[in-house]
Amino acid sequence: MTQTIAVIGGTGNEGPGLALRWARSGSYQVIIGSRQLEKAQRVADELNARLGSETIHGMTNPEAAAAADLAVLTVPYNAHAATLESIRAGVHGKILVDVTVPLQPPKVSRVYIPPGGSAAIEAQTLLGEAVRVVAAFQNVSATHLSDPDRPIECDVLVCGDDKEAKIEVIALAEAAGLRGLDAGPLANAVVIEGLTAVLIGINIRYKVKAAGIKITGLEQE
Ligand SMILES: NC(=O)c1ccc[n+]([C@@H]2O[C@H](COP(=O)([O-])OP(=O)(O)OC[C@H]3O[C@@H](n4cnc5c(N)ncnc54)[C@H](OP(=O)(O)O)[C@@H]3O)[C@@H](O)[C@H]2O)c1
């Protein structure tokens, strides 16, 4: 059975590229979530026009979470807790993939560790044990995601406390044209989230748009 993914806050920079790649893979149904139904439907229509199909739907965030098998959260950190509250009922018993990077504008190139330890741990604490939170995709730039034909020089480091959930998220990375790697327990998400602030600084200093990370040494010699 095809899985349905809800991209919560999927109307911004990061969400639409992921949604487009997952829909295009043919392996997933995709729902764009927003605080506003019309905005979600508009972005879904735009993505469908690019795909030449009607496979992506738009819903409010709570409806999207409830209708999906798995939810992916792509909102700014200052909207993190409120958005999680709004989808809490819908994600009960499901996997929540947290893409959120805790940043404190304007110092977006400085690592910020939030009070709960990391955005992903805060999500797990807020949602409780009935939801398997997996942290992933924080290091992948929206700039490259938005062109589905573009190969992306960035690995997806996947952190979580449930092995089966991590396997599902690694499959999501592969469906989006990326390599997903098991990066250990959810406690490790603080490092992956922090790396994004480092990459933003590299983008600024080297005048590029989408610095990424690659893990080396995985191939057998
Ligand atoms: N952009 C990147 O290249 C990139 C790369 C890696 C990781 N990330 C991380 O991914 C997350 C999303 O990034 P983004 O660039 O896509 O963010 P964004 O475009 O600023 O926001 C995404 C969506 O979040 C919702 N939102 C924004 N402010 C909100 C608020 N105050 N309250 C509730 N909802 C709000 C909006 O959806 P509605 O108005 O439709 O509700 C918006 O379209 C962030 O945590 C970011 O750090 C981004």
Side-chain angles (χ1 to χ4, degrees):
M1 202 176 73
T2 312
Q3 271 209 324
T4 301
I5 306 169
V7 185
I8 306 300
T11 52
N13 299 307
E14 187 79 351
L18 288 169
L20 191 65
R21 283 168 175 256
W22 287 325
R24 215 171 84 129
S25 76
S27 304
Y28 301 96
Q29 303 277 342
V30 180
I31 304 168
I32 294 289
S34 167
R35 288 168 293 178
Q36 300 166 54
L37 177 61
E38 300 72 24
K39 189 174 172 185
Q41 287 173 336
R42 176 166 44 79
V43 172
D45 287 347
E46 287 165 7
L47 296 176
N48 282 331
R50 290 181 63 187
L51 283 168
S53 71
E54 296 293 322
T55 52
I56 303 180
H57 299 277
M59 296 184 189
T60 64
N61 285 328
E63 286 170 348
D69 301 301
L70 176 153
V72 179
L73 182 61
T74 58
V75 296
Y77 180 67
N78 66 4
H80 188 243
T83 308
L84 285 167
E85 286 290 0
S86 77
I87 61 168
R88 182 201 284 266
V91 294
H92 188 88
K94 300 176 184 174
I95 295 170
L96 185 279
V97 183
D98 201 347
V99 186
T100 307
V101 177
L103 295 172
Q104 280 208 312
K107 295 182 176 173
V108 292
S109 59
R110 180 172 296 193
V111 175
Y112 167 67
I113 300 177
S118 70
I121 291 180
E122 289 181 344
Q124 187 68 76
T125 303
L126 193 148
L127 296 171
E129 284 178 12
V131 178
R132 291 175 289 164
V133 174
V134 178
F137 300 103
Q138 304 96 322
N139 305 142
V140 186
S141 158
T143 305
H144 287 173
L145 280 175
S146 62
D147 176 357
D149 293 318
R150 184 179 186 134
I152 300 180
E153 282 280 299
C154 185
D155 285 332
V156 176
L157 301 183
V158 178
C159 297
D161 294 334
D162 185 285
K163 205 158 181 59
E164 296 299 316
K166 280 192 284 189
I167 289 169
E168 287 200 39
V169 178
I170 288 169
L172 279 183
E174 281 164 11
L178 296 149
R179 181 172 69 169
L181 295 172
D182 186 339
L186 202 63
N188 290 358
V190 59
V191 174
I192 321 298
E193 293 174 9
L195 254 181
T196 300
V198 174
L199 293 171
I200 292 170
I202 289 172
N203 283 340
I204 294 166
R205 285 187 289 278
Y206 289 85
K207 298 183 174 44
V208 295
K209 286 187 176 157
I213 52 124
K214 271 279 183 196
I215 302 299
T216 61
L218 285 172
E219 291 76 25
Q220 295 286 347
E221 288 175 17

